[in-house]
Amino acid sequence: MRRPALILAPLIATLASCGPTTPGPPAPGPPAPTPTVAAGQLPAPADFAGISDRAQRSRALFLAASPVFHHPRCANCHPDGDSPLQGMDGHLHDPPVVRGPDDHGVVGMQCQGCHQDRNLELARVPGAPKWALAPRAMAWVGKSAHEICTQLKDLNNNGGKDLQQLVEHNAHDELVAWGWSPGHGREPAPGTQASFGALIAAWVETGAECPQSEAKP
Amino acid sequence: MKLRVNGRERELEVDPEMPLLWALRDLLGLTGTKYGCGQALCGACTVHLDGEVVRACVTPMRRAEGREVTTIEGLSPAGDHPLQRAWTELCVPQCGFCQAGQIMTAAALLREHPQPSDEQIDRSLAGNLCRCGTYLRIRSAVKRAATAVPPVK
Amino acid sequence: MPSLIARRTFLAGLGLSAGGLALGFFPADTRADDDPRGGEPPAKPPTRDPAVQAADPALHPNVFIHVALDGLVTITCHRSEMGQGIRSSLPVLLADELGADMARVRVVQADGDPKYGDQNTDGSNSVRGSYEEMRRAAATPRMLLIAAAARRWQVDPGSCHAEGHRVHHPASQRSLDFGELAAAAARLPIPQPDAVVLRPRAELRRIGTELPLIDAPAYVTGQAQYGADISVPGMLIAVIARPPVLGGRVASFDRARALAVPGVRQVLELPAPTPPYAFQPLGGVAVLADNTWAALRGREALGVTWQPGEHATHQSSQQREALLAAVRAPGAPARQLGDATAALAGAARIVEAEYLVPHLAHVPMEPPAALAHVRADGCEIWAPSQHPQAARKEAARILEIDEDRITLHVTFLGGGFGRKSKSDFIAEAVVLSRAAGVPVRVQWTREDDIRHDYFNTVSAQQLTAGLDADGQLVAWRHRTAFPPIDSTFNTDAEAPGPDDLQQGVLDLALSAPHVLAEACAAAPHVRIGWLRSVYNIFHGFAIGSFIDEIAAARNADPREVWLATLGPARVVPLAELGLEKLKNYGQSIAEHPVDAARLRHVIERVTALAGWDEQRRAGRALGLAAHRSFLSYVAVVASVILDPAGRLRVDEVWLVADAGQILSPDRVRAQMEGAVIFGMSHALHGAITLKDGAVEQSNFHDYRLIRMAEAPRAIHVELVASERPPGGVGEPGVPPVAPAIANAVFALTRQRVRELPLARSLKV
């Protein structure tokens, strides 16, 4: 039985429970029991202990982490096109800026011409070290959890990071960290970098399985 | 802290978080760089930091420490950079307030793209607002100056 | 802290000693010579004060021209330079009239002083309002120099002429430099006003040609000094927390926390103003510090809480409905011809539409800033003021001293557009300097500028046309509702008056035999000001769109409908307009009539220039609009496209302006180019809205201006060659821009947008 998919909002999705699955042969079956979380939070890896199938658990862990990737604080700088986005509605960055030859803007409008290494409150300008656009190969806007997952694991397109480096990056990178401390009344990504990092670590540890194409948290 | 401004070593007692704009204007008396918005939206405060365009209104002094700042006053010793000449020949300025920022951005553009296309000009100067509406003349002046820029320093 | 005394810095390099500027000492009875308001000639011949003459033996018969003994001619520009290029044009007129060589002319900026006559740089009137008087101011020293030369040569002055900085006597091939004649000329009696002879127009050699921009070198090197660029010893910089809602008051603030910020020296509360607000400071709490950063941080630390004030329940959304309701009912008639009500009732066809334009903010690139130094003996001010005498008056009122104890130096203005005619920001500096006991420079942030502007007023209009069976216009009714500017100065003003409707509603030539224009009531909730073309912005938008709507209703060519609506080429007398009088921008209707021929002409020229017929046949989306304002006539064609992302773009604009005689074609073209961009900003983007009485916008992210990338590929400006008296040039380019764009949008999309900005309805 398929549960109807819930529409993912920019806010945290509430994960609904359903009954436990019967252990059996691995199959792309119905979604396993997944934990409920309060808005703006992420579940902990321990909350997935109820999923006995490792691959299923892995997929569920990634799905639970995916609202972070989709959140505007992260997705806005992982656009598919030539310009970063702004706001909760993902409008084009104003003043108009473009990616440039190496994702750091063009002369006169480079990211770090305006963005500093930390948020500026009086000036409202967000900042973190190494502020720049993610390369186009790391675009997330408009992509499903499945697509992002696949992309994330692709060594050729993820900055050459192996899975362990991915865990490290997500859990500790300063630019990634910004998503949870965006400053000036901007809504942060769900959970914390630590809880996000923990989900990713657990996902890697369970085999880094990618959710089904149509799966949503 | 120490930094070089227009080729001259300066030493300032200053809050490291003070934006470069206010150090330039209030502490060093270099008023050619203007305050227009304080949020890096208008470009009136554009200077070069080690040759790169930055908006001084949001650049903290700790970022400028030990580095080379160039303001409009230091763009050329005699005020005759090809952009300044082109701006004068084409009577570009109206109120003039945004023009230092426009010229500083254009100077960085020409250093990297000596023969910029229309699209490159529009993209690089997109952050410099002009309320008087001199944009079309700025485009023409950048192109006129493009044929006469000195080599990269 | 660097100590740059404004006047010296301002005049650096001009080589003028303080003595050469003995401009403050002319006796009052010489004012009538150069008083542009005209008036009665003095009862006795003007004389120089012997003490003044003894102090400076150069030739300076009036406050505008000084010819030094070495021949250096100093021309004083009495109007503020805010980008319209007045310093590069009006002085050239004087130099031409005098016969000076511009290479030996220096231009200095006048302080605010009634001896210069009207210094209000506003209403596009600097040239049109002072043209004659400026010429006479320069003709006077010319006559004196000629008289001095003629006397020396023992010839008839009529056989001499002045040109190229010399007086010439062709018959004997003698000539003398102005410098050699200045001392002698200075001792001759100044000619009576009615004896001053102007050159034939053809002898004014430079004006009307391509003139250089004399301040360009200062602008492009960062040397030009604006309001925030002046420092004096001991100065503190003030940043003020002002009530978010008009009429609000300070409830509490944390003085100690602000004083704890390094660099903060004083925290002062400003007196709360009482309506009518006029130019009073808005009140609030000021933080005074050694530098701007400390003052900004200090203000953040104040944590001011506010008592909301009477406008705290005001919502723009409600006001919009109230304005629409107002124009859906009759108002006070301001223009009546025939019986429009009956004619509309009997018309074969009715076209009706309502138009809305929000409050607009001036947003000059330079936010307001002013420096005041109140001393025991008076006050010295440096400010980017459009109206220095009004500022002086305000300072005198605050300090309760005579105006002549106040010196006001006018700096360059980083844009004005009307904002800097209001001296509230200067008043703040005066109040704070007196309270603080030191010179104080007040710095407005961009947020302050957008939140606390004197906004262009908000409006709704209803236009109704009655057409006969052939589609000809037989009746025209225009209802307009807006809180008037007068409400800022007069608490009873809650409806526009006839003088307000003169901006576009009353001076519109119409072919209809039945015309009615009505002013409908509207209450203010902000300080209403005047912004570059003022009420013409929304009147021009409504009328310009409406004529296009009539054309669409008739499936006719908008150009033809414009010409048919205006009626034949003619000067339209007041009676035919349906008026008893017309304020006519302060000038005589005889000299500047409502001339349908001139408006028709610019429409015909701009459509020809734009290739109206061919381009439209080829499928290009063009829009046409025209407007008379400030005694000039402008027509605009705009072309719009959708870019690959589906975003509206204005890709090309044509503009033809008839402004009568023009001093500097380049500066007028620049004003028109700028007016296109200026008009595009409010057509596409900018709107000021209020929620719970407070302005919702604060900086360029939510009050957007046109950026370079949005500017058209080309703006074609043509100036009509004319010998008519000068009309305005600073403002008239603005009103036709928004309607031309809206009309082009209709041509492109068949979508009629009646409410600005277009961003509300379209992707822009």
Side-chain angles (χ1 to χ4, degrees), chain B residues 43-57:
Chain B
C45 67
T46 304
V47 298
H48 298 169
L49 188 61
D50 288 343
E52 304 279 357
V53 159
V54 295
R55 309 298 185 210
C57 72

Side-chain angles (χ1 to χ4, degrees), chain A residues 4-208:
Chain A
L6 296 173
I7 307 300
L8 172 67
L11 305 170
I12 254 311
T14 302
L15 305 175
S17 299
C18 60
T21 54
T22 323
T34 41
T36 320
V37 278
Q41 307 262 33
L42 289 173
D47 298 342
F48 294 79
I51 304 172
S52 50
D53 179 271
R54 189 168 176 268
Q56 256 183 342
R57 195 162 69 248
S58 194
R59 288 191 283 271
L61 282 160
F62 189 88
L63 261 186
S66 65
V68 172
F69 298 104
H70 283 126
H71 193 277
R73 292 295 83 71
C74 307
N76 283 351
C77 292
H78 283 259
D80 199 15
D82 239 359
S83 297
L85 309 176
Q86 282 178 326
M88 295 305 287
D89 62 352
H91 60 266
L92 281 179
H93 183 294
D94 177 51
V97 291
V98 291
R99 187 180 281 283
D102 53 7
D103 309 313
H104 282 70
V106 296
V107 63
M109 295 297 281
Q110 291 177 323
C111 308
Q112 289 166 39
C114 303
H115 292 275
Q116 311 302 320
D117 63 354
R118 65 192 72 161
N119 296 324
L120 298 176
E121 286 314 313
L122 266 188
R124 294 187 320 114
V125 179
K130 303 174 287 160
W131 193 272
L133 267 189
R136 209 186 289 271
M138 301 181 194
W140 296 337
V141 175
K143 303 232 169 114
S144 66
H146 164 79
E147 287 165 319
I148 291 175
C149 179
T150 313
Q151 201 170 277
L152 214 55
K153 288 164 60 177
D154 180 356
L155 261 174
N156 291 326
N157 280 319
N158 71 358
K161 292 186 180 62
D162 66 26
L163 288 173
Q164 210 39 56
Q165 286 169 323
L166 260 183
V167 172
E168 188 50 39
H169 177 73
N170 286 338
H172 296 119
D173 181 84
E174 289 172 296
L175 187 49
V176 174
W178 178 84
W180 290 272
S181 305
H184 194 82
R186 282 177 278 265
E187 181 188 283
T192 64
Q193 188 174 32
S195 59
F196 175 65
L199 284 174
I200 296 297
W203 166 67
V204 167
E205 198 238 328
T206 52

Side-chain angles (χ1 to χ4, degrees), chain C residues 54-306:
Chain C
D56 179 7
L59 173 62
H60 44 107
N62 57 56
V63 294
F64 296 101
I65 303 235
H66 179 288
V67 184
L69 302 188
D70 65 356
L72 177 70
V73 170
T74 303
I75 296 178
T76 299
C77 183
H78 68 307
R79 292 297 175 92
S80 306
E81 178 57 75
M82 52 187 184
Q84 82 283 47
I86 194 65
R87 284 166 53 96
S88 295
S89 52
L90 210 47
V92 178
L93 175 66
L94 279 92
D96 270 3
E97 186 66 57
L98 173 59
D101 175 356
M102 282 304 293
R104 294 173 67 193
V105 169
R106 306 299 176 127
V107 175
V108 301
Q109 195 65 31
D111 282 353
D113 192 315
K115 73 188 182 203
Y116 295 107
D118 181 7
Q119 289 180 276
N120 186 11
T121 311
D122 218 309
S124 303
N125 82 348
S126 288
V127 172
R128 67 179 171 96
S130 64
Y131 182 75
E132 282 286 322
E133 289 68 29
M134 290 294 102
R135 288 189 64 184
R136 287 146 65 80
T140 303
R142 183 192 78 236
M143 293 174 67
L144 289 168
L145 290 162
I146 287 175
R151 195 185 252 212
R152 187 169 322 174
W153 294 324
Q154 296 291 300
V155 299
D156 170 21
S159 64
C160 303
H161 66 271
E163 191 188 319
H165 230 81
R166 303 180 73 81
V167 176
H168 303 265
H169 183 241
S172 63
Q173 299 196 317
R174 285 178 289 185
S175 73
L176 282 167
D177 187 86
F178 284 176
E180 296 170 282
L181 294 163
R187 291 191 291 269
L188 296 175
I190 297 173
Q192 290 278 20
D194 53 8
V196 172
V197 179
L198 302 182
R199 289 178 186 272
R201 170 66 183 85
E203 280 187 27
L204 299 173
R205 291 188 308 105
R206 272 165 308 228
I207 61 146
T209 68
E210 299 302 317
L211 299 176
L213 188 61
I214 67 167
D215 294 312
Y219 291 142
V220 303
T221 56
Q223 300 303 314
Q225 296 207 296
Y226 300 84
D229 299 336
I230 314 294
S231 293
V232 296
M235 179 184 82
L236 291 179
I237 295 172
V239 170
I240 301 170
R242 297 178 187 81
V245 178
L246 184 64
R249 291 174 175 229
V250 176
S252 71
F253 61 96
D254 191 337
R255 177 189 301 274
R257 199 154 159 265
L259 283 169
V261 171
V264 171
R265 299 288 166 218
Q266 297 191 42
V267 173
L268 297 169
E269 193 173 342
L270 284 138
T274 50
Y277 294 102
F279 301 143
Q280 298 171 73
L282 274 174
V285 184
V287 175
L288 283 65
D290 294 336
N291 61 70
T292 315
W293 177 237
L296 289 168
R297 290 185 63 219
R299 181 173 72 171
E300 274 308 289
L302 280 174
V304 187
T305 63
W306 304 98

Side-chain angles (χ1 to χ4, degrees), chain B residues 15 17-19 22 25-26 29 31-32 34-37 39 41-42 72-73 79 84 87-88 91 93-98 103 118 121-122 125-129 131-133 135-139, chain C residues 2 82-83 213 219-220 222 226 228-229 291-293 297 361-363 365-367 413-415 417 443 445-447 666-667 670-671 673-674 677-678 699-701 705-708 711-713 715:
Chain B
D15 171 4
E17 296 305 321
M18 176 186 284
W22 302 118
R25 290 183 54 84
D26 293 343
T31 56
K34 305 304 186 196
Y35 165 80
C37 72
Q39 298 194 354
L41 292 168
C42 79
I72 186 68
E73 292 95 335
Q84 289 166 320
W87 249 245
T88 302
C91 301
Q94 288 183 30
C95 86
F97 196 77
C98 76
I103 289 169
D118 287 348
I121 295 172
D122 280 4
L125 286 161
N128 288 87
L129 281 176
R131 183 56 160 153
C132 297
Y135 295 127
L136 272 68
R137 294 197 187 207
I138 292 174
R139 285 177 181 152
Chain C
M82 52 187 184
L213 188 61
Y219 291 142
V220 303
Y226 300 84
D229 299 336
N291 61 70
T292 315
W293 177 237
R297 290 185 63 219
H362 298 83
V363 202
M365 277 321 295
E366 174 200 32
L413 281 68
F417 312 114
Q443 175 68 55
T445 64
R446 181 59 62 192
E447 291 82 2
D666 176 73
R667 287 300 85 191
Q671 285 297 286
E673 291 158 13
I677 303 292
F678 195 90
N699 210 308
F700 294 122
H701 63 292
L705 301 181
I706 294 292
R707 293 186 176 272
M708 178 176 291
R713 266 298 120 213
I715 299 176

